[in-house]
Amino acid sequence: MKVFKFGGASINTIERIQNVKNILKEYQNEKLLIIISAMGKMTNAFEKVVDAFYNERNEEALSLFEKIKKDHITTAKYLLVTHYLPCEAQLKNFFTEAEWLLHDKPVQSYDYYYDQLVCIGELLSTTIVSFYLNEMKVNNTWVDVRDIIRTDNNFRDANVDWNYTQLQIDQQLKPLLETGGMVVTQGFIGATDENESTTLGREGSDYSAAVFANMLDAESQTIWKDVPSVMNADPREVADAVSISELNYTEVIEMAYYGAQVIHPKTIKPLQNKGIPLYVKCFLDPSLPGTVIHNKPVKELPPIIVIKKNQVMMELKSKDFSFVGEEHTGTLYHLFEKLSMRPNLTQNGAISLVCVFDNREDKISKLAGAAAEIFDVQLTPGLELLAIRHFSNESVVKYSCGKECLVKQRTQQNFRMLYR
Ligand code: ASP
Ligand code: MG
């Protein structure tokens, strides 16, 4: 049994949906669970609907939603002939699910409405792809994942109830895979015990796929992406970025920590727990070898370069020239926790502390305001934070040269520099 995940970019045009079908044709005789994201930038489009709705701009919410409906109907019409009508009927059920809500006034939390609406993106995309695959004789069963993945009601960042979900997987999903072969379902979403929809956090489908892989004891998970493999740097920023054919789980978690947008960091643990390998493959050219991520040690990795942009440095100085002790630091970390902010870099001095954050202006000003009660606070925005894992002297020179350095840190494995 294998788990595949296709992201939004793999189905953002008619040709790409056809391409996904061609890939899956090669796996017709396999037991395959296929997780598919919302099409292209649909999740962002849904977020705009939620925003308009919650701020009681109902007309705007409805007209934004009309556009989403039209886009999906157009795609379905292009792709389908014999299966168009039943597909349209199923799409319309989901349209109605959203519209019921959109005609009301918001009385619950923003996050609640976010989840009720945003989840529709994956329900629509998987409906179309599943009908299309069936029409093309790539037989599959479509499953509403909200009947399988049970979560708490921590909307927008819901936590999976592993026991209940395992039971549904055993009772509902395994028999389908055993008898029918392919199952198409959604990532990123789930439901509470009161049948309210939930989401697991942006870009959460990789994680959903890993939850399934774990509970199905899958032989592997494959994430199909538009890049040839995991690379040692973002090729849009580093011209000579190279492919990495093999990584281990820990390395991927480290890379994600420093800000590499490879794989959703929550994805690794469910796989690591059962030693399930994760393949990253290119949907544009499936013949490329891609990357395998597993438990084995991997030697001789190239320097891995991650650049975080739009960073802000917060310098905190004790007001009375006293040492910055446990008490002050403790209070500060409580503030971080309260605002769910994680510093990307910290450095301690005798009477000062430096913390570097992503520049989320709303949060930064709240934090600075609260910290000003104990410290003199100074903010320096507009910075970048470079991390090089497995650095060499050559790579340090290459990437730091000519930059105005504000903070530099170096351990055996990692070189980090904050610069302007
Ligand atoms: N569609 C969701 C998002 O764009 C989930 C995902 O693609 O992983 O965040
Ligand atoms: Mg995505």
Side-chain angles (χ1 to χ4, degrees):
M1 199 168 310
K2 293 190 177 106
V3 175
F4 279 6
K5 182 255 171 171
F6 289 94
S10 69
I11 52 162
N12 65 2
T13 61
I14 299 289
E15 293 73 31
R16 286 197 171 177
I17 298 175
Q18 290 164 336
N19 173 61
V20 166
K21 178 259 300 170
N22 293 337
I23 292 174
L24 291 173
K25 253 201 151 86
E26 303 295 314
Y27 294 87
Q28 288 223 48
N29 300 319
E30 302 219 24
K31 299 182 176 85
L32 200 58
L33 178 71
I34 304 154
I35 309 274
I36 305 175
S37 293
M39 285 175 185
K41 298 269 171 252
M42 270 307 158
T43 303
N44 297 10
F46 270 98
E47 285 182 340
K48 293 210 174 86
V49 176
V50 181
D51 233 55
F53 167 74
Y54 200 73
N55 292 302
E56 299 196 37
R57 303 192 306 268
N58 281 53
E59 295 276 301
E60 186 188 332
L62 283 165
S63 89
L64 288 168
F65 189 61
E66 273 309 311
K67 168 87 170 66
I68 291 176
K69 282 164 65 174
K70 216 173 118 216
D71 285 349
H72 285 91
I73 290 287
T74 308
T75 305
K77 275 191 180 147
Y78 261 110
L79 285 167
L80 297 164
V81 183
T82 51
H83 290 50
Y84 178 73
L85 284 177
C87 177
E88 188 199 61
Q90 189 169 319
L91 294 177
K92 284 188 169 165
N93 281 340
F94 296 126
F95 296 160
T96 311
E97 201 176 312
E99 278 162 347
W100 258 13
L101 214 143
L102 290 177
H103 282 106
D104 264 348
K105 269 194 184 313
V107 287
Q108 306 226 37
S109 73
Y110 183 90
D111 291 354
Y112 168 83
Y113 289 110
Y114 182 101
D115 283 5
Q116 308 320 303
L117 290 166
V118 167
C119 72
I120 309 259
E122 335 291 284
L123 293 161
L124 298 174
S125 68
T126 51
T127 297
I128 294 175
V129 175
S130 169
F131 273 107
Y132 172 64
L133 291 172
N134 277 329
E135 183 163 319
M136 291 291 121
K137 304 277 179 285
V138 182
N139 294 338
N140 71 92
T141 312
W142 180 89
V143 167
D144 187 332
V145 86
R146 296 174 299 178
D147 296 329
I148 311 272
I149 300 264
R150 167 69 62 82
T151 71
D152 62 9
N153 63 0
N154 188 23
F155 297 108
R156 283 186 82 179
D157 193 18
N159 301 293
V160 173
D161 174 339
W162 284 73
N163 292 333
Y164 185 90
T165 302
Q166 179 76 63
L167 207 68
Q168 303 317 307
I169 287 182
D170 292 345
Q171 288 175 355
Q172 298 188 52
L173 211 53
K174 279 187 184 163
L176 280 178
L177 287 160
E178 292 299 339
T179 53
M182 285 189 192
V183 170
V184 171
T185 195
Q186 308 80 42
F188 171 58
I189 72 177
T192 68
D193 55 3
E194 289 176 15
N195 279 327
E196 293 157 315
S197 304
T198 52
T199 67
L200 311 178
R202 281 302 305 261
E203 303 300 330
S205 319
D206 291 356
Y207 172 62
S208 299
V211 170
F212 279 115
N214 175 298
M215 295 196 193
L216 288 166
D217 289 302
E219 59 181 273
S220 65
Q221 172 176 337
T222 305
I223 298 182
W224 294 88
K225 287 172 101 62
D226 56 359
V227 289
S229 60
V230 177
M231 307 194 79
N232 75 322
D234 185 338
R236 287 166 300 191
E237 275 161 20
V238 173
D240 51 1
V242 294
S243 284
I244 304 176
S245 60
E246 202 182 348
L247 282 167
N248 68 36
Y249 299 128
T250 319
E251 189 63 39
V252 173
I253 292 184
E254 290 277 348
M255 287 168 74
Y257 174 80
Y258 292 114
Q261 279 164 358
V262 234
I263 287 147
H264 195 291
K266 269 165 82 181
T267 311
I268 299 300
K269 192 154 185 294
L271 300 176
Q272 186 170 24
N273 283 349
K274 292 214 168 154
I276 298 166
L278 172 62
Y279 295 95
V280 175
K281 294 271 290 174
C282 180
F283 62 74
L284 299 169
D285 184 356
S287 70
L288 295 174
T291 302
V292 57
I293 299 158
H294 51 46
N295 238 342
K296 299 173 201 137
V298 178
K299 292 220 176 73
E300 285 170 38
L301 286 170
I304 294 172
I305 296 125
V306 187
I307 300 165
K308 267 187 183 260
K309 301 211 158 133
N310 199 14
Q311 302 291 295
V312 56
M313 176 170 79
M314 187 177 282
E315 277 178 283
L316 305 136
K317 286 206 175 95
S318 68
K319 288 190 169 172
D320 54 2
F321 275 85
S322 64
F323 286 159
V324 179
E326 310 78 62
E327 204 185 315
H328 285 166
T329 320
T331 317
L332 196 63
Y333 273 82
H334 274 305
L335 279 175
F336 295 169
E337 196 194 341
K338 223 168 87 191
L339 294 166
S340 1
M341 292 180 77
R342 202 197 65 199
N344 296 324
L345 184 93
T346 55
Q347 181 132 311
N348 294 38
I351 56 164
S352 73
L353 242 167
V354 169
C355 302
V356 179
F357 295 97
D358 294 335
N359 196 0
R360 292 271 317 267
E361 273 168 35
D362 48 332
K363 289 190 173 193
I364 294 291
S365 62
K366 266 192 205 147
L367 176 63
E373 294 188 7
I374 7 174
F375 299 100
D376 284 329
V377 181
Q378 197 184 332
L379 294 174
T380 315
L383 306 175
E384 296 191 0
L385 181 60
L386 162 74
I388 312 181
R389 266 182 75 67
H390 316 293
F391 64 91
S392 56
N393 287 337
E394 196 194 337
S395 58
V396 167
V397 171
K398 182 168 168 191
Y399 293 101
S400 64
C401 136
K403 311 236 156 86
E404 186 194 333
C405 172
L406 299 178
V407 182
K408 200 183 278 184
Q409 279 182 1
R410 195 171 176 144
T411 61
Q412 241 181 350
Q413 296 268 20
N414 302 316
F415 171 87
R416 300 217 282 161
M417 185 172 101
L418 181 73
Y419 61 89
R420 215 187 296 265

